[in-house]
PDB file of all heavy atoms in Angstrom:
ATOM      1  N   MET A 274      30.261  48.381  41.673  1.00 51.00           N
ATOM      2  CA  MET A 274      30.371  46.934  41.540  1.00 51.00           C
ATOM      3  C   MET A 274      31.614  46.463  42.284  1.00 51.00           C
ATOM      4  O   MET A 274      32.642  47.137  42.264  1.00 51.00           O
ATOM      5  CB  MET A 274      30.496  46.559  40.050  1.00 51.00           C
ATOM      6  CG  MET A 274      30.459  45.070  39.754  1.00 51.00           C
ATOM      7  SD  MET A 274      30.717  44.760  37.964  1.00 51.00           S
ATOM      8  CE  MET A 274      29.364  45.711  37.267  1.00 51.00           C
ATOM      9  N   ALA A 275      31.523  45.328  42.920  1.00 51.00           N
ATOM     10  CA  ALA A 275      32.670  44.725  43.600  1.00 51.00           C
ATOM     11  C   ALA A 275      32.634  43.225  43.368  1.00 51.00           C
ATOM     12  O   ALA A 275      31.600  42.593  43.534  1.00 51.00           O
ATOM     13  CB  ALA A 275      32.631  45.038  45.098  1.00 51.00           C
ATOM     14  N   HIS A 276      33.785  42.688  42.966  1.00 54.00           N
ATOM     15  CA  HIS A 276      33.891  41.253  42.739  1.00 54.00           C
ATOM     16  C   HIS A 276      34.861  40.665  43.763  1.00 54.00           C
ATOM     17  O   HIS A 276      36.036  41.009  43.781  1.00 54.00           O
ATOM     18  CB  HIS A 276      34.414  40.958  41.330  1.00 54.00           C
ATOM     19  CG  HIS A 276      33.453  41.366  40.256  1.00 54.00           C
ATOM     20  ND1 HIS A 276      32.171  40.913  40.192  1.00 54.00           N
ATOM     21  CD2 HIS A 276      33.617  42.199  39.205  1.00 54.00           C
ATOM     22  CE1 HIS A 276      31.562  41.437  39.140  1.00 54.00           C
ATOM     23  NE2 HIS A 276      32.419  42.228  38.537  1.00 54.00           N
ATOM     24  N   THR A 277      34.372  39.801  44.607  1.00 53.00           N
ATOM     25  CA  THR A 277      35.245  39.112  45.546  1.00 53.00           C
ATOM     26  C   THR A 277      35.823  37.875  44.877  1.00 53.00           C
ATOM     27  O   THR A 277      35.439  37.499  43.771  1.00 53.00           O
ATOM     28  CB  THR A 277      34.458  38.693  46.794  1.00 53.00           C
ATOM     29  OG1 THR A 277      33.474  37.733  46.406  1.00 53.00           O
ATOM     30  CG2 THR A 277      33.787  39.886  47.451  1.00 53.00           C
ATOM     31  N   VAL A 278      36.743  37.226  45.569  1.00 51.00           N
ATOM     32  CA  VAL A 278      37.311  35.983  45.054  1.00 51.00           C
ATOM     33  C   VAL A 278      36.210  34.959  44.811  1.00 51.00           C
ATOM     34  O   VAL A 278      36.152  34.299  43.771  1.00 51.00           O
ATOM     35  CB  VAL A 278      38.359  35.427  46.041  1.00 51.00           C
ATOM     36  CG1 VAL A 278      38.826  34.049  45.588  1.00 51.00           C
ATOM     37  CG2 VAL A 278      39.546  36.371  46.159  1.00 51.00           C
ATOM     38  N   ASP A 279      35.293  34.841  45.769  1.00 59.00           N
ATOM     39  CA  ASP A 279      34.215  33.863  45.639  1.00 59.00           C
ATOM     40  C   ASP A 279      33.275  34.203  44.484  1.00 59.00           C
ATOM     41  O   ASP A 279      32.852  33.321  43.733  1.00 59.00           O
ATOM     42  CB  ASP A 279      33.414  33.774  46.938  1.00 59.00           C
ATOM     43  CG  ASP A 279      34.184  33.066  48.044  1.00 59.00           C
ATOM     44  OD1 ASP A 279      35.139  32.336  47.711  1.00 59.00           O
ATOM     45  OD2 ASP A 279      33.832  33.242  49.222  1.00 59.00           O
ATOM     46  N   SER A 280      32.940  35.511  44.332  1.00 61.00           N
ATOM     47  CA  SER A 280      32.002  35.876  43.269  1.00 61.00           C
ATOM     48  C   SER A 280      32.619  35.649  41.898  1.00 61.00           C
ATOM     49  O   SER A 280      31.948  35.226  40.957  1.00 61.00           O
ATOM     50  CB  SER A 280      31.548  37.330  43.412  1.00 61.00           C
ATOM     51  OG  SER A 280      32.603  38.234  43.134  1.00 61.00           O
ATOM     52  N   LEU A 281      33.939  35.938  41.772  1.00 57.00           N
ATOM     53  CA  LEU A 281      34.606  35.670  40.499  1.00 57.00           C
ATOM     54  C   LEU A 281      34.641  34.175  40.213  1.00 57.00           C
ATOM     55  O   LEU A 281      34.416  33.747  39.081  1.00 57.00           O
ATOM     56  CB  LEU A 281      36.030  36.239  40.514  1.00 57.00           C
ATOM     57  CG  LEU A 281      36.173  37.728  40.194  1.00 57.00           C
ATOM     58  CD1 LEU A 281      37.619  38.160  40.370  1.00 57.00           C
ATOM     59  CD2 LEU A 281      35.692  38.033  38.785  1.00 57.00           C
ATOM     60  N   ALA A 282      34.910  33.382  41.232  1.00 61.00           N
ATOM     61  CA  ALA A 282      34.940  31.929  41.037  1.00 61.00           C
ATOM     62  C   ALA A 282      33.566  31.415  40.615  1.00 61.00           C
ATOM     63  O   ALA A 282      33.454  30.541  39.750  1.00 61.00           O
ATOM     64  CB  ALA A 282      35.402  31.241  42.320  1.00 61.00           C
ATOM     65  N   GLN A 283      32.521  31.983  41.226  1.00 67.00           N
ATOM     66  CA  GLN A 283      31.166  31.576  40.859  1.00 67.00           C
ATOM     67  C   GLN A 283      30.856  31.941  39.420  1.00 67.00           C
ATOM     68  O   GLN A 283      30.227  31.170  38.684  1.00 67.00           O
ATOM     69  CB  GLN A 283      30.154  32.230  41.799  1.00 67.00           C
ATOM     70  CG  GLN A 283      30.186  31.682  43.221  1.00 67.00           C
ATOM     71  CD  GLN A 283      29.313  32.491  44.172  1.00 67.00           C
ATOM     72  OE1 GLN A 283      28.623  33.417  43.742  1.00 67.00           O
ATOM     73  NE2 GLN A 283      29.354  32.145  45.449  1.00 67.00           N
ATOM     74  N   ARG A 284      31.301  33.112  38.980  1.00 64.00           N
ATOM     75  CA  ARG A 284      31.050  33.529  37.596  1.00 64.00           C
ATOM     76  C   ARG A 284      31.786  32.627  36.620  1.00 64.00           C
ATOM     77  O   ARG A 284      31.253  32.276  35.574  1.00 64.00           O
ATOM     78  CB  ARG A 284      31.466  34.992  37.399  1.00 64.00           C
ATOM     79  CG  ARG A 284      30.683  35.962  38.245  1.00 64.00           C
ATOM     80  CD  ARG A 284      31.045  37.394  37.978  1.00 64.00           C
ATOM     81  NE  ARG A 284      30.403  37.884  36.757  1.00 64.00           N
ATOM     82  CZ  ARG A 284      30.462  39.157  36.371  1.00 64.00           C
ATOM     83  NH1 ARG A 284      31.132  40.036  37.091  1.00 64.00           N
ATOM     84  NH2 ARG A 284      29.858  39.537  35.258  1.00 64.00           N
ATOM     85  N   ILE A 285      33.009  32.248  36.966  1.00 62.00           N
ATOM     86  CA  ILE A 285      33.760  31.346  36.098  1.00 62.00           C
ATOM     87  C   ILE A 285      33.080  29.995  36.017  1.00 62.00           C
ATOM     88  O   ILE A 285      32.981  29.392  34.941  1.00 62.00           O
ATOM     89  CB  ILE A 285      35.216  31.208  36.593  1.00 62.00           C
ATOM     90  CG1 ILE A 285      35.958  32.546  36.445  1.00 62.00           C
ATOM     91  CG2 ILE A 285      35.951  30.106  35.818  1.00 62.00           C
ATOM     92  CD1 ILE A 285      37.322  32.557  37.082  1.00 62.00           C
ATOM     93  N   ARG A 286      32.572  29.514  37.164  1.00 67.00           N
ATOM     94  CA  ARG A 286      31.853  28.233  37.154  1.00 67.00           C
ATOM     95  C   ARG A 286      30.587  28.322  36.305  1.00 67.00           C
ATOM     96  O   ARG A 286      30.240  27.377  35.590  1.00 67.00           O
ATOM     97  CB  ARG A 286      31.510  27.807  38.585  1.00 67.00           C
ATOM     98  CG  ARG A 286      32.704  27.267  39.371  1.00 67.00           C
ATOM     99  CD  ARG A 286      32.249  26.512  40.602  1.00 67.00           C
ATOM    100  NE  ARG A 286      31.606  27.381  41.569  1.00 67.00           N
ATOM    101  CZ  ARG A 286      32.249  28.041  42.530  1.00 67.00           C
ATOM    102  NH1 ARG A 286      33.560  27.927  42.634  1.00 67.00           N
ATOM    103  NH2 ARG A 286      31.584  28.801  43.383  1.00 67.00           N
ATOM    104  N   ARG A 287      29.909  29.475  36.359  1.00 69.00           N
ATOM    105  CA  ARG A 287      28.704  29.631  35.544  1.00 69.00           C
ATOM    106  C   ARG A 287      29.054  29.651  34.058  1.00 69.00           C
ATOM    107  O   ARG A 287      28.303  29.124  33.232  1.00 69.00           O
ATOM    108  CB  ARG A 287      27.959  30.919  35.922  1.00 69.00           C
ATOM    109  CG  ARG A 287      27.227  30.840  37.238  1.00 69.00           C
ATOM    110  CD  ARG A 287      26.139  31.917  37.334  1.00 69.00           C
ATOM    111  NE  ARG A 287      26.690  33.259  37.270  1.00 69.00           N
ATOM    112  CZ  ARG A 287      27.067  33.953  38.346  1.00 69.00           C
ATOM    113  NH1 ARG A 287      26.965  33.407  39.548  1.00 69.00           N
ATOM    114  NH2 ARG A 287      27.525  35.170  38.220  1.00 69.00           N
ATOM    115  N   VAL A 288      30.197  30.265  33.726  1.00 64.00           N
ATOM    116  CA  VAL A 288      30.641  30.261  32.320  1.00 64.00           C
ATOM    117  C   VAL A 288      30.829  28.832  31.844  1.00 64.00           C
ATOM    118  O   VAL A 288      30.355  28.438  30.764  1.00 64.00           O
ATOM    119  CB  VAL A 288      31.957  31.052  32.152  1.00 64.00           C
ATOM    120  CG1 VAL A 288      32.519  30.849  30.751  1.00 64.00           C
ATOM    121  CG2 VAL A 288      31.723  32.531  32.397  1.00 64.00           C
ATOM    122  N   ASN A 289      31.542  28.049  32.647  1.00 63.00           N
ATOM    123  CA  ASN A 289      31.811  26.661  32.249  1.00 63.00           C
ATOM    124  C   ASN A 289      30.529  25.827  32.228  1.00 63.00           C
ATOM    125  O   ASN A 289      30.339  24.982  31.355  1.00 63.00           O
ATOM    126  CB  ASN A 289      32.827  26.040  33.209  1.00 63.00           C
ATOM    127  CG  ASN A 289      34.189  26.675  33.089  1.00 63.00           C
ATOM    128  OD1 ASN A 289      34.564  27.148  32.015  1.00 63.00           O
ATOM    129  ND2 ASN A 289      34.945  26.718  34.175  1.00 63.00           N
ATOM    130  N   ALA A 290      29.626  26.080  33.192  1.00 66.00           N
ATOM    131  CA  ALA A 290      28.415  25.272  33.292  1.00 66.00           C
ATOM    132  C   ALA A 290      27.448  25.543  32.151  1.00 66.00           C
ATOM    133  O   ALA A 290      26.719  24.656  31.703  1.00 66.00           O
ATOM    134  CB  ALA A 290      27.723  25.526  34.625  1.00 66.00           C
ATOM    135  N   THR A 291      27.420  26.791  31.673  1.00 65.00           N
ATOM    136  CA  THR A 291      26.450  27.149  30.626  1.00 65.00           C
ATOM    137  C   THR A 291      27.021  27.052  29.226  1.00 65.00           C
ATOM    138  O   THR A 291      26.300  27.264  28.251  1.00 65.00           O
ATOM    139  CB  THR A 291      25.953  28.595  30.835  1.00 65.00           C
ATOM    140  OG1 THR A 291      27.074  29.489  30.791  1.00 65.00           O
ATOM    141  CG2 THR A 291      25.235  28.731  32.162  1.00 65.00           C
ATOM    142  N   ARG A 292      28.293  26.706  29.091  1.00 61.00           N
ATOM    143  CA  ARG A 292      28.895  26.699  27.759  1.00 61.00           C
ATOM    144  C   ARG A 292      28.210  25.693  26.836  1.00 61.00           C
ATOM    145  O   ARG A 292      27.899  25.998  25.686  1.00 61.00           O
ATOM    146  CB  ARG A 292      30.393  26.376  27.866  1.00 61.00           C
ATOM    147  CG  ARG A 292      31.094  26.373  26.522  1.00 61.00           C
ATOM    148  CD  ARG A 292      32.575  26.159  26.668  1.00 61.00           C
ATOM    149  NE  ARG A 292      33.223  26.104  25.380  1.00 61.00           N
ATOM    150  CZ  ARG A 292      34.523  25.917  25.209  1.00 61.00           C
ATOM    151  NH1 ARG A 292      35.313  25.782  26.255  1.00 61.00           N
ATOM    152  NH2 ARG A 292      35.040  25.873  23.997  1.00 61.00           N
ATOM    153  N   GLU A 293      27.955  24.486  27.349  1.00 63.00           N
ATOM    154  CA  GLU A 293      27.337  23.469  26.507  1.00 63.00           C
ATOM    155  C   GLU A 293      25.912  23.844  26.120  1.00 63.00           C
ATOM    156  O   GLU A 293      25.486  23.634  24.984  1.00 63.00           O
ATOM    157  CB  GLU A 293      27.345  22.110  27.215  1.00 63.00           C
ATOM    158  CG  GLU A 293      28.706  21.425  27.211  1.00 63.00           C
ATOM    159  CD  GLU A 293      29.216  21.165  25.810  1.00 63.00           C
ATOM    160  OE1 GLU A 293      28.409  20.799  24.934  1.00 63.00           O
ATOM    161  OE2 GLU A 293      30.417  21.334  25.559  1.00 63.00           O
ATOM    162  N   SER A 294      25.156  24.413  27.066  1.00 65.00           N
ATOM    163  CA  SER A 294      23.783  24.795  26.742  1.00 65.00           C
ATOM    164  C   SER A 294      23.761  25.938  25.734  1.00 65.00           C
ATOM    165  O   SER A 294      22.914  25.969  24.832  1.00 65.00           O
ATOM    166  CB  SER A 294      23.024  25.199  28.008  1.00 65.00           C
ATOM    167  OG  SER A 294      23.627  26.315  28.624  1.00 65.00           O
ATOM    168  N   LYS A 295      24.699  26.887  25.857  1.00 62.00           N
ATOM    169  CA  LYS A 295      24.768  27.976  24.885  1.00 62.00           C
ATOM    170  C   LYS A 295      25.169  27.449  23.511  1.00 62.00           C
ATOM    171  O   LYS A 295      24.619  27.884  22.488  1.00 62.00           O
ATOM    172  CB  LYS A 295      25.772  29.031  25.359  1.00 62.00           C
ATOM    173  CG  LYS A 295      25.951  30.202  24.409  1.00 62.00           C
ATOM    174  CD  LYS A 295      24.674  30.962  24.186  1.00 62.00           C
ATOM    175  CE  LYS A 295      24.213  31.696  25.400  1.00 62.00           C
ATOM    176  NZ  LYS A 295      23.033  32.560  25.113  1.00 62.00           N
ATOM    177  N   ALA A 296      26.087  26.487  23.473  1.00 61.00           N
ATOM    178  CA  ALA A 296      26.485  25.894  22.198  1.00 61.00           C
ATOM    179  C   ALA A 296      25.303  25.186  21.546  1.00 61.00           C
ATOM    180  O   ALA A 296      25.098  25.273  20.335  1.00 61.00           O
ATOM    181  CB  ALA A 296      27.640  24.917  22.408  1.00 61.00           C
TER     182      ALA A 296
END
Side-chain angles (χ1 to χ4, degrees):
M274 187 183 302
H276 293 304
T277 65
V278 173
D279 287 340
S280 69
L281 277 175
Q283 290 172 4
R284 297 184 79 173
I285 294 172
R286 285 196 294 271
R287 286 200 298 270
V288 171
N289 293 330
T291 59
R292 181 176 178 180
E293 284 300 321
S294 61
K295 179 61 68 174

